[in-house]
Amino acid sequence: AGDAQALSEREREVLQWIALGKQQAEVAAILMISERTVENHLRAARRRLGAASTAQGWNRSRSRAASSEPST
């Protein structure tokens, strides 16, 4: 499994919108991309994170991002 840093900026952005409760069609409209492209970004993010679902991918990306932040 990869980590959150391995996600592209667009993959992270799509995951964030989905986590906020947006449907794929809404994310596509917001980002001015096709729904198919949204699906592709979600699929790639799940694969990189070793996640079986989008929700699991979001949780893994958040936990890995938090663990890689420098402590103050």
Side-chain angles (χ1 to χ4, degrees):
D3 60 44
Q5 301 304 320
L7 295 179
S8 72
E9 182 177 335
R10 189 62 109 183
E11 289 164 352
R12 283 191 300 272
E13 191 173 18
V14 168
L15 276 175
Q16 288 170 342
W17 281 114
I18 295 293
L20 290 172
K22 299 294 184 190
Q23 298 295 316
Q24 289 184 17
E26 294 173 302
V27 175
I30 290 166
L31 300 178
M32 294 186 288
I33 58 178
S34 72
E35 282 186 64
R36 179 70 177 179
T37 301
V38 171
E39 291 173 19
N40 288 337
H41 285 308
L42 289 171
R43 188 176 303 113
R46 286 192 305 268
R47 185 182 66 247
R48 289 180 195 218
L49 294 167
S53 69
T54 299
Q56 185 181 42
W58 171 251
N59 288 332
R60 287 185 179 188
S61 71
R62 296 301 302 151
S63 65
R64 290 178 180 170
S67 67
S68 67
E69 291 176 358
S71 52
T72 54

